[in-house]
Amino acid sequence: MASVEFTRRTLLRSSAAGAAGLAFGFGGVRRALAGDLTIGIVYVGARDDFGWNQAHAVAMDALKQVAGVKVVEEENVPETDACAKTMESMINLDGAGLILATSFGYYTPFVVDVAKKYPKVEFRHAAPLWNKDKDPKNAGSYFGYLNQAHYIDGVAAGLCTKSNKIGFVAAKPIASVLSNINSVLLGARKTNPNATVQVIFTGDWSLPVREAEAANALVDAGCDVVTCHVDGPKVVIETAEKRGVKTCGHNASQAPLAPKGFITGAEYKWETIYKQYAAELGKGQPLPNMLAGGYEGDMVRNTPFGAGASDEAKKAALAAIEDLKAKKPIYVGPLKDNKTGKIVIDKAYDNLDPYLDQMDYLLEGVIGSIT
Amino acid sequence: MDSGAPAAGEVSGAVLPAAPSERAASDLALRLRAGSEYVAIPALALAIAAFLFSLFLLAIGKSPIDFVDNIWRGGFGSGFSFQNTLQRSAPLILTALAVAIPARIGLIMIGGEGALVLGGFASAAIATPMVGVVAPWLTLIVMASAGVAVGALWIGLAGFLRYARGVNETISSLLLTYIGVAIMNFFVEGSLRDLSNPNKPSTRPIGEAYMVGKIPGTDVHWGFLAGLILAVGLQILMTRTTFGFAARVTGGNMRAALAQGLPVGKLIVACAMIAGACAGLAGFYEVAAIQGRANASLAAGYGFTGILVSFLARHNPLAIVPVAILFGGLVAAGGLIQRRMGLPDATVLVLQGLIFVVLLTSETLYGRFAIFKTAASKDRT
């Protein structure tokens, strides 16, 4: 056994050396400058989920083209110590120098603990959680403000609905989901003052059966545009398409799922962030600890318009995108919450204002309840 | 690894006394010969599963040798890998024990997941008011007790329903799992929610000082050692005590046990509670050694993988340890297989499924090979 192991290792070591030599030979000066970098990326679900994970995976494809960068990927890693072990395994066995942890629940305690343990490896996590006072300097966060793209969904949907009812299938009543729902409402109200958003919470990130039931219930209630915030929007979009209503997507492009009714969808543009990371590492510069933005930072986008979008809607949406690039605020008070009628947005807030990250209400005009 | 204990249903060991002279001379040889059947047949089954899986790999154009190499490298081949494996096997040992103990009394309890989740939740909930007030060691004892007690009550409830109302324990324990997860979510998203964390509903973190650390010199948490100790202790309980004997008699034939005057109801509830305690303890370690808080990540499926582990170990507490380590290793190496071979995550599930089916099929082979038969067991068959 021992001798077998020894020969296998020796063989691998020599072949690795050979491969490195080859790579250096071909790569030339650029590679030498960049220094070879292995990036490990951890996904919580499947890479082809038509949603959150796919958005990251598509962006990683762009990174793979960068010279000197090798990408190792692992999918379906739960938010338990499995994620810590996966990151350590990428560092110890694959030699990863940058870890991208893409699920919210990876951060505390796993990313923080592993970052402390491996101070020479850089860690970046896809949610605005890094705290410069408490957390290790080799960790950090990156995030896209998807609510801006959902606002554009709302702008287009407001002009595409005839019943003035937009349906929203939501996972959990947490801040980022609530902000997307409220943004759809504000977008729709911009082009259609009578629009309402009816929301159903399914209770968890991936419950395909309940998502289909919720989509059907919304159509039955008279909604003629349906959108969602769940991990994999496939079921919602397909169900709505089957029922003959229009749809707006979420996280990644669902345009192929709804050839008749697709309007547009809110998408992340992770490649802006990932390419920036690769470029900075290539130049030997330190990575920023916090990198977040919306349309103004080219970090979100909308799916190209589908057959469901009217010309009027396209025009309004494109104009609204220009407004967002110019940092025109979405949340302009006074706005009331839909339960108590209390004013929750008292003035105009910048689109990246941290106050909006703490959202725990639905605005007046949204039909539905958090509790 | 002598896993020669009889499966559920068989009351006696393989060494019923034959002629006195034979017993004296070759007691150990007889034990070894009878026991080796329980090693040889699973080994054969593993080999067949490996062969079938190799065909599967060849069919999709991947090399089985690379696969084995990556399993070795990712799960066992280095200090880091093996500790990774041990850490992943820790909850599996405990949840498998939660299936094995009721199985010895003839109950198929599959609700370990619910007991784990509620046990972990109870640990975190009871710790919340104690953090910063009571000393960490005392808090941890209270947390562990709460986790164990709640787990024991949860599966004990399924045992009680079985005995008192005749409710099928497999169905009730499974359904109780969903209720358990829902109870946790209710509190974690409601009254016990940590409001400083708007995006992942959790209880308040217990903090570094209140966590159980790693076993010194390793990267493995104490839950692994707890699993080892419990596996040995429960093996002794089930094979060397009157309680274990009575439980196995009940598992073999409940009516005969009743006729003998055994306290069948108490035995059933006791076995169910031991099972729940094991799973609850696994939940405690998930909170106190890993997560530091209770949230939806507690329901990570350990309870369900534990069912597989227990069946593969033929509900033998000692055999559970190596089987859990094998499963932990497969999962630990699963990542490397994705990364190095470009195979999807489900590949390891295919392998696990094949192992499970082949091993269950191999159950029919026991007692069919003359080579394992002793004079004593020949008399019995």
Side-chain angles (χ1 to χ4, degrees):
Chain A
M1 196 67 222
S3 70
V4 173
E5 177 60 21
F6 180 70
T7 48
R8 193 201 290 141
R9 276 197 183 152
T10 338
L11 180 75
L12 242 119
R13 206 177 292 148
S14 53
S15 59
L22 269 178
F24 191 80
F26 284 116
V29 184
R30 207 154 97 208
R31 231 171 252 270
L33 268 178
D36 283 356
L37 172 72
T38 299
I39 301 177
I41 178 162
V42 190
Y43 307 103
V44 74
R47 267 172 287 177
D48 50 358
D49 64 352
F50 278 98
W52 173 264
N53 298 293
Q54 182 169 326
H56 284 281
V58 169
M60 285 313 275
D61 282 339
L63 252 190
K64 287 176 194 165
Q65 314 303 323
V66 179
V69 169
K70 187 180 162 222
V71 175
V72 291
E73 303 173 272
E74 194 170 327
E75 62 179 357
N76 286 330
V77 178
E79 293 174 347
T80 64
D81 62 326
C83 115
K85 290 296 170 191
T86 288
M87 292 187 283
E88 288 193 56
S89 176
M90 286 171 163
I91 294 163
N92 285 326
L93 302 179
D94 298 331
L98 168 64
I99 299 281
L100 300 172
T102 62
S103 187
F104 190 91
Y106 290 162
Y107 192 70
T108 37
F110 308 114
V111 170
V112 173
D113 285 353
V114 179
K116 283 182 189 153
K117 195 168 163 191
Y118 297 90
K120 288 189 179 148
V121 179
E122 292 290 322
F123 297 80
R124 292 298 178 270
H125 175 255
L129 292 178
W130 184 75
N131 180 321
K132 73 173 187 301
D133 301 322
K134 282 194 313 194
D135 293 343
K137 300 286 175 247
N138 58 326
S141 295
Y142 60 99
F143 201 62
Y145 280 79
L146 194 67
N147 74 303
Q148 297 190 12
H150 269 296
Y151 172 79
I152 303 299
D153 283 355
V155 168
L159 292 171
C160 294
T161 172
K162 292 198 179 72
S163 66
N164 295 334
K165 285 183 184 170
I166 298 166
F168 199 115
V169 181
K172 293 192 182 210
I174 62 170
S176 60
V177 178
L178 299 176
S179 130
N180 285 340
I181 299 168
N182 289 331
S183 297
V184 168
L185 175 83
L186 293 177
R189 284 271 161 105
K190 187 172 149 64
T191 51
N192 179 348
N194 297 320
T196 56
V197 172
Q198 187 162 358
V199 58
I200 295 180
F201 290 99
T202 61
D204 218 331
W205 293 108
S206 183
L207 293 171
V209 174
R210 212 173 285 176
E211 286 156 18
E213 285 168 3
N216 276 319
L218 289 170
V219 178
D220 292 340
C223 298
D224 60 355
V225 178
V226 171
T227 183
C228 63
H229 182 160
V230 294
D231 263 3
K234 186 168 187 271
V235 170
V236 173
I237 304 295
E238 282 182 338
T239 307
E241 175 82 355
K242 243 180 256 165
R243 295 291 305 268
V245 304
K246 295 184 174 180
T247 46
C248 291
H250 173 74
N251 272 350
S253 171
Q254 286 96 37
L257 299 174
K260 277 186 264 167
F262 195 74
I263 300 171
T264 177
E267 282 188 54
Y268 290 99
K269 205 171 171 192
W270 299 115
E271 60 260 40
T272 305
I273 294 169
Y274 291 162
K275 279 183 179 157
Q276 185 178 335
Y277 281 167
E280 273 160 10
L281 286 166
K283 286 185 236 155
Q285 290 172 349
L287 298 181
N289 287 100
M290 186 59 107
L291 192 53
Y295 260 109
E296 83 295 333
D298 195 26
M299 294 182 193
V300 297
R301 68 178 154 219
N302 277 79
T303 317
F305 297 109
S310 63
D311 290 339
E312 208 188 354
K314 287 180 195 170
K315 224 171 108 188
L318 291 174
I321 288 174
E322 290 311 314
D323 286 348
L324 289 179
K325 283 182 179 165
K327 302 189 184 178
K328 192 175 169 192
I330 295 174
Y331 288 85
V332 180
L335 295 171
K336 296 174 184 166
D337 91 0
N338 75 347
K339 202 159 129 198
T340 59
K342 204 177 75 187
I343 290 183
V344 282
I345 302 282
D346 52 343
K347 53 174 189 170
Y349 282 92
D350 182 78
N351 288 332
L352 306 185
D353 194 307
Y355 173 72
L356 300 176
D357 295 341
Q358 303 295 324
M359 202 169 271
D360 58 357
Y361 43 80
L362 292 166
L363 293 176
E364 201 172 68
V366 178
I367 303 162
S369 160
I370 294 173
T371 46
Chain B
M1 175 86 251
D2 179 313
S3 53
E10 285 177 58
V11 170
S12 64
V15 280
L16 277 183
S21 60
E22 192 183 335
R23 183 175 22 159
S26 58
D27 189 51
L28 182 68
L30 280 178
R31 272 169 176 272
L32 279 180
R33 178 183 276 210
S36 61
E37 182 173 22
Y38 296 100
V39 177
I41 290 181
L44 178 72
L46 280 178
I48 292 174
F51 173 73
L52 292 174
F53 187 69
S54 300
L55 293 183
F56 166 76
L57 283 178
L58 288 171
I60 56 174
K62 301 284 177 180
S63 153
I65 294 171
D66 280 358
F67 188 85
V68 172
D69 187 56
N70 280 320
I71 290 274
W72 176 253
R73 205 174 289 273
F76 306 95
S78 66
F80 166 76
S81 299
F82 193 56
Q83 290 181 33
N84 184 353
T85 294
L86 293 185
Q87 169 111 341
R88 290 181 196 246
S89 67
L92 300 183
I93 295 175
L94 289 169
T95 53
L97 287 172
V99 179
I101 302 306
R104 300 304 281 271
I105 199 166
L107 302 179
I108 305 297
M109 288 279 187
I110 57 173
E113 181 87 354
L116 185 155
V117 166
L118 277 184
F121 168 67
S123 301
I126 208 161
T128 306
M130 298 175 76
V131 167
V133 182
V134 183
W137 63 271
L138 186 60
T139 308
L140 283 171
I141 292 174
V142 173
M143 283 172 74
S145 313
V148 165
V150 169
L153 285 177
W154 201 245
I155 303 291
L157 178 63
F160 176 75
L161 287 173
R162 165 80 218 188
Y163 173 70
R165 309 297 316 153
V167 178
N168 182 305
E169 79 284 355
T170 312
I171 304 295
S172 69
S173 64
L174 178 65
L175 294 183
L176 279 170
T177 291
Y178 298 115
I179 298 172
V181 174
I183 290 175
M184 180 197 65
N185 281 335
F186 175 77
F187 284 108
V188 163
E189 291 176 10
S191 53
L192 291 177
R193 180 166 175 180
D194 172 16
L195 293 173
S196 68
N197 183 355
N199 276 312
K200 177 147 185 167
S202 308
T203 60
R204 267 188 281 153
I206 59 174
E208 195 106 354
Y210 286 79
M211 306 272 285
V212 291
K214 313 273 185 192
I215 301 172
T218 74
D219 204 21
V220 183
H221 68 72
W222 286 101
F224 179 76
L225 197 67
L228 277 188
I229 293 169
L230 267 174
V232 173
L234 289 174
Q235 171 77 356
I236 293 170
L237 178 74
M238 297 315 280
T239 57
R240 296 278 184 272
T241 65
T242 47
F243 173 85
F245 181 72
R248 285 182 291 135
V249 170
T250 308
N253 187 330
M254 194 187 289
R255 291 174 72 182
L258 279 170
Q260 290 294 320
L262 289 175
V264 168
K266 282 183 189 156
L267 286 168
I268 285 181
V269 175
C271 282
M273 288 184 77
I274 293 173
C278 292
L281 191 64
F284 160 74
Y285 279 108
E286 282 302 299
V287 168
I290 293 171
Q291 300 277 0
R293 70 206 77 198
N295 56 39
S297 298
L298 282 180
Y302 295 130
F304 296 117
T305 312
I307 302 168
L308 274 181
V309 171
S310 181
F311 270 84
L312 295 188
R314 308 185 84 238
H315 309 310
N316 178 320
L318 285 183
I320 278 173
V321 175
V323 175
I325 291 174
L326 175 71
F327 265 69
L330 286 180
V331 178
L336 200 64
I337 282 155
Q338 284 190 42
R339 271 139 49 200
R340 295 271 170 92
M341 299 180 72
L343 285 167
D345 170 58
T347 316
V348 170
L349 294 181
V350 172
L351 177 59
Q352 284 182 5
L354 275 174
I355 293 176
F356 192 56
V357 169
V358 176
L359 261 165
L360 285 186
T361 313
S362 75
E363 292 272 307
T364 58
L365 295 177
Y366 286 91
R368 294 195 178 210
F369 297 106
I371 187 170
F372 298 122
K373 286 189 182 164
T374 60
S377 61
K378 266 178 200 147
D379 291 344
R380 291 195 296 138
T381 43

